[in-house]
Amino acid sequence: MNPYIDLHAHINFKDFDEDREQLLTEMKEKNVVAINIGTTHKTSVEGIVLAEKYPGQIFPIIGSHPVHANEHEDNAKFEELAANPKVVGIGECGLDYFERGDIKLTEEDLAMQEKVFRTQIAFSIKYKKPLMLHVREAYSKTLEILKEYFKPGEVEYRGNAHFFVGSKEEAQAFLDLGFSISFTGVITFVKAYEELVQAVPLDRMFAETDSPYVAPTPYRGQRNSPLYVIEIYKKIAEIKQVPLQEVIDTLATNARRYWLKTL
């Protein structure tokens, strides 16, 4: 039986320190597997350790999140992780132009984000591992950079645009470059995204929780969990008016084709 796949979770984060083992047990019982995402060198290493402890249930991606670009460690340390055969992808990486509170992004901040992003694109190409993109208020610039490296139709797959909230036109631009689109629990409570979900083909789509953040209905306000990816699957099936089993099977096929060769 095909599993539910959470394409993007942070089970290594401290939010799960008190009940991580119980969570992994429940995930196994409910046939949920997850790709665990690194955001720094430290959390990337933690993701690999988790994957070693729970083989076939947790799969690690390593990378440097754009909000941590100014903390980016020596590239050689990241490249060592990128070469690890357990690692299934590079990220989450990209550009984040959202300004938090009174903190303003400087030109130097933006330049460092782009530099670190380009480094990770190079790792993706060198090690033939897909990218997990983090893009916030920077879709146009991200696509501009990606088009320097990738051409439409050149290869079948380059990676995934995580937590996608852009336009249908931007989604199509990512699809044309060989990227898939993943949706979070936001689609369970923001009706405006239904048209976007309809527009993205099921065979280029994934579901993700981004846990511990943004829990779907009916768990809003709680800590999010990979277990709740099931609600996102249900919503995709509802929006696309297809059986839930079709969504489960298609997304599992997508995952085996592009990310989880050993699933």
Side-chain angles (χ1 to χ4, degrees):
M1 185 168 61
N2 282 322
Y4 291 96
I5 296 163
D6 182 355
L7 198 77
H8 190 116
H10 302 283
I11 305 169
N12 50 331
F13 280 13
K14 64 182 181 180
D15 306 73
F16 296 102
D17 282 354
E18 293 185 5
D19 63 345
R20 187 175 290 110
E21 189 170 337
Q22 178 184 338
L23 169 63
L24 270 295
T25 297
E26 290 185 55
M27 286 172 60
K28 189 171 185 178
E29 291 171 352
K30 295 188 178 181
N31 200 23
V32 175
V33 303
I35 293 182
N36 193 85
I37 312 300
T39 55
T40 62
H41 185 269
K42 178 179 181 291
T43 57
S44 294
V45 171
E46 290 169 351
I48 294 173
V49 171
L50 266 179
E52 289 171 342
K53 186 174 181 180
Y54 299 96
Q57 193 173 356
I58 298 295
F59 300 85
I61 287 179
I62 65 93
S64 187
H65 192 293
V67 302
H68 297 301
N70 288 324
E71 309 160 27
H72 186 76
E73 296 96 341
D74 181 6
N75 285 336
K77 293 169 64 177
F78 273 98
E79 183 158 12
E80 183 179 355
L81 299 183
N84 187 316
K86 289 187 180 296
V87 170
V88 300
I90 307 299
E92 61 188 285
C93 60
L95 303 175
D96 190 322
Y97 290 177
F98 178 70
E99 294 187 324
R100 294 157 175 82
D102 295 330
I103 300 174
K104 301 298 181 183
L105 293 170
T106 66
E107 290 299 320
E108 290 76 14
D109 293 330
L110 300 182
M112 181 59 73
Q113 283 194 24
E114 182 173 334
K115 179 181 178 181
V116 174
F117 182 29
R118 288 180 181 275
T119 296
Q120 292 174 94
I121 294 173
F123 289 161
S124 171
I125 294 169
K126 180 175 180 179
Y127 293 101
K128 296 182 172 59
K129 296 181 179 182
L131 289 163
M132 179 64 74
L133 299 177
H134 171 100
V135 186
R136 191 169 187 185
E137 297 188 4
Y139 284 114
S140 179
K141 181 62 176 180
T142 300
L143 285 162
E144 178 185 315
I145 292 171
L146 292 172
K147 287 174 182 177
E148 294 179 30
Y149 296 88
F150 309 131
K151 306 302 177 196
E154 194 173 54
V155 298
E156 184 183 14
Y157 194 68
R158 290 296 188 182
N160 179 72
H162 135 75
F163 205 142
F164 190 81
V165 293
S167 67
K168 289 194 294 183
E169 292 74 21
E170 288 165 333
Q172 188 59 54
F174 281 105
L175 294 171
D176 289 344
L177 285 177
F179 287 81
S180 58
I181 304 292
S182 61
F183 295 104
T184 66
V186 171
I187 68 170
T188 68
F189 55 82
V190 180
K191 192 172 178 62
Y193 291 120
E194 292 189 7
E195 188 177 355
L196 181 60
V197 175
Q198 281 280 19
V200 176
L202 200 56
D203 64 357
R204 301 293 284 195
M205 180 185 294
F206 288 100
E208 58 152 303
T209 62
D210 199 21
S211 53
Y213 311 113
V214 200
T217 301
Y219 303 104
R220 290 191 68 189
Q222 302 179 29
R223 180 196 69 179
N224 202 359
S225 160
L227 295 168
Y228 302 161
V229 78
I230 296 170
E231 301 303 323
I232 303 168
Y233 272 74
K234 290 177 181 176
K235 190 64 178 182
I236 290 171
E238 175 190 321
I239 293 170
K240 287 194 165 290
Q241 298 184 339
V242 299
L244 176 59
Q245 192 62 50
E246 181 178 340
V247 179
I248 294 169
D249 292 342
T250 304
L251 270 56
T253 297
N254 296 348
R256 288 189 179 95
R257 181 181 299 151
Y258 302 134
W259 294 94
L260 310 180
K261 312 296 187 186
T262 59
L263 182 66

